[in-house]
Each structure stands twice: as C-alpha cells, then as structure tokens.
Amino acid sequence: MRLCYRSVPLLLALSAPSLHAQDDWGEDVWAEPGQQEIRLHGFVELAAGGRIDNDPVLADDDLSLAEFRSRLELETYADTVRLSAKLDLYADGVEPGAHLDIRESLADISLADNADLRLGHQVLTWGTGDLLFLNDLFAKDWQSFFSGRDDEYLKAPSTSLKLSLYGQKASLDLVWTPELTPDRFINGERFSYFSAGAGQQVAAPENKIDPTEPKQRLANGELAARLYGRRDLGSGSATEWALYAYRGYWKQPNAINADGEPYFSRLNSLGASLRGNLARGIAHAELAWYQGQDHQGNDPRLPNDQLRLLLGYEQELAPRLTLGLQYYLERTLDYDALSENDSGSVYRVDEHRQLWTMRLSYRAMQDRLSLSWFSFYSDTDQDAYHRPSLSYKFNDNLNLTLGANLFSGAQPHSFFGQFDQADNVYARLRFSY
Amino acid sequence: MTKLTAFAGIIFSLWLGISTPAHSSEALTDADAIVNRANLAAYYAASDGRAEARMLIRDAQGREQMRQFTILRRDREEGGEQDFLVVFSRPADVRNTVFLVAKKPGGDDDRWLYLPGLDLVKRISAGDKRSSFVGSHFFYEDVSGRSPREDSHRLIETSGQYYVIENTPLAPASVEFSRYTAWINRDNFLAEKIEYQDAQGEVYRRVEVLQSEMIQGHITVAESRVEDLRSGGETRLQFRYQSYDLGMGAEVFSERSLRKPPREWLRRAE
C-alpha cells in the first residue's frame, strides 16, 4: 500500500519529488488514488476559551477550553468494503491530560443493490431540527457544545450497527446500539449545574454526576428506526416525510433511585416529521411522543411522558444572508399527577415549556468569512442562550474561528438559567490537510 | 428584417467558408430556437454524465482558493428537470461534503447538503439562483443552467462564427442584470462568451469558454472563466474525465447518495 499525499500541504508536497506533472495550479490535484490506497487527511487545532463570569462553585473557573488537538482521518477500500477512521488525540488543559477520542471507526458494506450495512463506531443523525432534537436520540456532547468546540462535536459517536434498506417509495434505517451510549452531559466538571436535591448550584468533585448505567445485556441495547421517503407534491417540489421509533433510555440521567443516585431510565419514543419548500424557503415540522417508565406520572423521581413539537422555517433574506426560526413545545403529560406527588417542588418543570430559536448566517468574501448567530430563547423558562461566531479562512488550509457562549436566566434552576455564570468566549485556529 | 439577416448570414458564412469549418446548416434566424439549442448543448448533453471539476477562485487582492469536486448529472426530461450530485474532495475541510440538487426550470430547485462530521442531511432553501456557487464567482445558475423561458431573446447579429443574442429578463426584479449578450458558436451551439450589463448598460460580468472538446459526440467545456469586472476577481473552472450515457438510475440522486456517495459512478473509469 502506498500512502497518497493528495492533500498534504504544499510544503510537504514540494519536499518530496512529485510523481505527477505540476501545472499552473500549483500541484496535480487530478491525481486520484487507486483502489488500494489509503487516503490520509486531518487537522491540527489550537483552541482556547475563557470565562467572562465568575463561577463560585467551580474549583478552577478560568478556562472553559484549552486544548491542542490532532485529528487523523484514514479512508480506504478493501474490495467493495469502505473502511474509515477518524481519530482525535488531544492535550486538554481543562480536564488535564492527553485524551484519545475515536470519532469514527467503521466499515461500510453493501449487502445488495438496495441494502447497506454500516458497522462500528459512528456519528448518527436524523430528524429535521436545527440544534433541536426530538426523534434523534443518538448521543450528543453538551460539554463540547457549551465550551466552543466545532459544531461537529455536538454529536458524540456510538458503537452501532446501521442497516439501511432502500425502496422506490420508502427507505428504512435500523440502528442497533448494543450498549447504551448516553449524552456527554453536563456532569459538574467543565460546567457546574443546578441540583434540585441540594437546591443550589453545585460542581465536581463532590457533586460530579456519575450515574449507574444499565447492565450489559441484549435487552438493554438501544434500537432506533426511521422509515422515510420523498414525494414531489403540488408545484413539483420535493416533500420529505419520515416516521421514527426508538426503544432505549433517556440520554441524560434524569431519574433518581431509592438511594438518591441518578440513573438512566427507560424511554420509548414514536414520532414523525415533514420537510419541504414553502414560499421562498424551507419549512419543517416534527413531532415526538416520549414514553418513560412512569406512565401515570405520579413518581416524581422518574421523568414523565412528554409530547414534543417542533415547527421551523428558513429563508434566504438577501444573497448569502439566511434567517432560520424555530418554535419548540415540550408538553409534560400527566402533569396533575406530578404536581400532587412532588411535594410542591418549586423546581417542577412547567407543563408547557416553549422555546424559540433564531439562526442568522452570512457569508462573504468568496466564503472566506462566515458570520453566524444562533439564539435559544424560552419565554416560559425565562432564559436564553446565544451563540455568536465568526469564522475566517486565511487560505484553503488555515481557519480561525472566534465565538462566544452566552447564557442568561431569571431563575437559577431553569435549563439555560443554571449556566448563567458559565458565559465564555473562545478562539480556535485550525490547520487542515 | 429577419429575412435580410438570414440572407446576410448565408453570404457571410459562404464567404468565411474558406477559412472556417463549414457550418452544418444555414444560419438560423429564430432567436428562441438558437437559445434552446444552446441550452441543450450546454446542460443536456446525452441523458446523463459525469465530470471531475476544479475551481480556482481568485479575489481582487490575488488571494486564491481551490475547490475540487466530482459532478454527476441525470436528465429527467430533455430540456427540463435534472438531478445533480456534487461530491467535494478539496479543500480538506469540505472533503466528503455532498450537494444534491433537483433542478426545476421555472420553479424553485430542491437542494440538500450533507455534512459528514455531523452525519447531517440539511435541506437548503432554493434561495437566489444568482448567488455564489461554493464561494466562487460562478452562480448556481451558471453551473446548472438558466431556463430560456426566463428571458426574451433577440438575435442582434449573425457573424461567420457566432449568433449574437441579446437576452432581457422577463422578471427584471429577480436578477441583478438588466440584460446579457451571448455569443453562441454557430457550429456547435456552445455559448462561448456571455456579457452581463447593469442598468447603465455597462458590462460588469463576463463568462467565457476558454477550451472545449468533443467527447462521445458532444461538445464539452473543458475550461471556462468568469470575471467580476467591478471587483477584479475571477474564477477559472476546469473539467476533466467527462463521460456520457453511463446509465445512471434515478436512485443515484437520493438521500442514500448523500450519506454514502455512489463510488460506482464517482470512480474514474479504468
């Protein structure tokens, strides 16, 4: 096997004698690796983020992000099987030490003309929401999201088996994750959180959330399914529809056992979504019905069942300037039973939690510069979360991103309000090859 | 008037016949017919096709960016709806990003973008067809074609080599130009030069074919350039390894190909 330095920086390419004729475009980019070659890519990134507020309960609250990260991406084919790996090695100053994060390690196998299998460590996403997830119950990484890592890190990988069957009218995805892969949730280490039990903001080490996970048994795996298709409707534009089902667990440890310890309780979910052109933009709608262990809603230590609804619309306002708006409703079912059994808790969720989001994005200078502003705002929780960012490409390899994570809330226990003291600004310099 | 132009055209071509290739037929006089043939020649060669492409984007300060991608196309109907799949290989930060377009002449295109890092299939609004394609000076419409039905066409000159057509938008508010002039090669109906004029009649944008070749009997652009004459920036676009009539099915242009690019069609023929 020969390594193909197809996109290794010019400096490296020039230091080795090229096998291909160079032309006026600097290097022979037409060179295509053959079937047996390994494609090698990746990046190195330096990232720093600092808090602009003082978090009194975190032991060290100066830095929210401090890392040197090296990503290695390898891709090759063994006959018709595609093999792909993405390995992140990073030195972290916030949770000190060197860490290996395997983002991807998978095999793509075509079983038949209309059936694919993807096997291994992989990132999985479906659904129609923009940074809001209803039927996508694959693992998220909220620590990365809040601390200013690249958007890609919002999704955490899981070791899963994905079977895809394709038909004329509809296609089916079946995902089996043998071992529960929870979110990388806020556990008190990088960010403090509000503890309803303690009635105040708490953090690691004493209050690190370290939930017990379900036993490794066949019945304790996660199963997710999506049946989807697209139809040309009305004016001829494509409308996408999907039905979803999930059997597994809540991805955050929001249940409490008899000893007062957090754990992951059972969750089943059913849902549907639609997405299509509307007026000059894209509209989407998604619905999910979450059914947990507590169908009567009278056990306050277990999350109640929920109905979740999302409506969204996105449109280009002017060339390169796009506005996206979403409305999200989370209805807690059996609310009367919850009210009667939680001893009048002041931290009880609202029966209807509403959330609005706005995304404004703008690109300029041949896409060298991109500006983005994403805001979450809840009128029922009276809290908000803003994510402004600016990204500038010096050239095809070097990119600088500046951004901030800004939280506010009227109450210390609400979803975003608990991170009121976690505001941070960050910078990331990335060299891709 | 049209008869006169046709007559002049025939004389002109006879006279030039000595030094230029013989024209396949006598000069056409119907502007709409010429534009329709040019549209078919540029965007509907065969029933499907593949090409590898690279773009060199240069701004007024001389700063350069590169894009490289493989493009697959399939016609749903000749001169009508088409599907495109664009798989990026360069630069490194957009590698394996995939773009799927269902082109709907006269309506809004359907567009999807696949972001491999997030495994996310994003639907993107049809938006302005006259906005930059992946940061280049080319517009979406330059890459996938502007429907002839959106302009009125007038043959203003027939030279030995070209039909010169003036195109005026039927919905002037929807575009940034007031009119554009196209020089269409009489032999092969390739629009070799297009100049866009603003409201003052000044040419501010020029698209040119720099090199073309015959592939499987179809005239095929090998290199073209667009210049933004106001800013001084330009983008050059090269195509290689084009082939036609591969027999791609409709299923190639689906969500499956976004998440798992169809290697069978993306690979260069041995």
Side-chain angles (χ1 to χ4, degrees), chain A residues 30 73 113 125 236 238 396, chain B residues 95 104 118 123 256 268:
Chain A
W30 298 113
E73 298 186 4
D113 276 355
T125 300
D396 284 342
Chain B
R95 196 174 63 88
K104 309 276 172 78
L118 284 162
R123 182 98 180 237
R256 181 188 196 177
R268 205 177 283 167

Side-chain angles (χ1 to χ4, degrees), chain B residues 27-41 148 153-158 162-165 182-186 189-190:
Chain B
L28 298 175
T29 55
D30 180 352
D32 289 349
I34 295 167
V35 170
N36 280 334
R37 289 201 51 180
N39 181 49
L40 295 180
H153 315 286
R154 196 163 68 89
L155 180 64
I156 56 172
E157 189 191 332
T158 302
Y162 297 108
Y163 296 114
V164 185
I165 303 272
W183 280 260
I184 296 168
N185 189 306
R186 286 181 52 183
F189 288 88
L190 205 60

Side-chain angles (χ1 to χ4, degrees), chain B residues 183-197:
Chain B
W183 280 260
I184 296 168
N185 189 306
R186 286 181 52 183
D187 291 330
N188 54 32
F189 288 88
L190 205 60
E192 293 188 355
K193 184 168 78 168
I194 303 173
E195 289 185 341
Y196 295 84
Q197 294 170 39

Side-chain angles (χ1 to χ4, degrees), chain A residues 12-193:
Chain A
L12 273 176
L14 289 177
S15 66
S18 173
L19 292 172
H20 308 287
Q22 306 238 332
D23 59 21
D24 58 337
W25 294 42
E27 54 187 306
D28 187 4
V29 297
W30 298 113
E32 183 73 13
Q35 199 171 349
Q36 296 305 319
E37 288 168 333
I38 297 176
R39 297 189 193 192
L40 171 68
H41 293 272
F43 60 78
V44 287
E45 183 179 78
L46 200 58
R51 289 167 187 277
I52 48 180
D53 283 336
N54 175 35
D55 186 333
V57 300
L58 267 185
D60 181 359
D61 70 341
D62 291 337
L63 294 171
S64 49
L65 187 67
E67 62 193 29
F68 177 73
R69 183 179 290 261
S70 176
R71 153 78 62 91
L72 194 63
E73 298 186 4
L74 300 158
E75 187 182 10
T76 192
Y77 284 85
D79 196 17
T80 58
V81 177
R82 174 177 169 266
L83 300 168
S84 173
K86 297 180 181 175
L87 312 172
D88 273 28
L89 189 66
Y90 65 100
D92 192 342
V94 178
E95 293 166 54
H99 306 267
L100 174 68
D101 185 9
I102 300 172
R103 297 287 305 169
E104 183 171 298
S105 169
L106 59 81
D108 272 324
I109 303 159
S110 266
L111 299 176
D113 276 355
N114 57 358
D116 292 336
L117 189 64
R118 178 168 281 191
L119 198 69
H121 211 54
Q122 56 188 297
V123 166
L124 291 151
T125 300
W126 62 39
T128 61
D130 185 5
L131 301 185
L132 286 176
F133 305 94
L134 287 79
N135 291 294
D136 179 330
L137 284 153
F138 304 112
K140 324 286 185 303
D141 182 348
W142 300 106
Q143 299 181 25
S144 291
F145 191 61
F146 288 168
S147 60
R149 288 188 182 127
D150 189 281
D151 282 355
E152 129 178 35
Y153 293 96
L154 169 60
K155 298 292 292 200
S158 58
T159 302
S160 304
L161 187 149
K162 180 184 180 187
L163 174 69
S164 300
L165 304 170
Y166 307 98
Q168 293 262 320
K169 294 235 158 66
S171 297
L172 179 68
D173 283 335
L174 290 169
V175 178
W176 179 45
T177 305
E179 190 181 342
L180 167 68
T181 307
D183 288 356
R184 296 177 187 180
F185 51 87
I186 302 301
N187 63 2
E189 285 185 326
R190 201 172 280 260
F191 295 98
S192 63
Y193 65 94

Side-chain angles (χ1 to χ4, degrees), chain A residues 350-361:
Chain A
D350 288 339
E351 184 174 4
H352 296 102
R353 175 173 172 247
Q354 294 191 129
L355 192 62
W356 300 83
T357 78
M358 181 207 70
R359 180 192 284 277
L360 205 53
S361 55

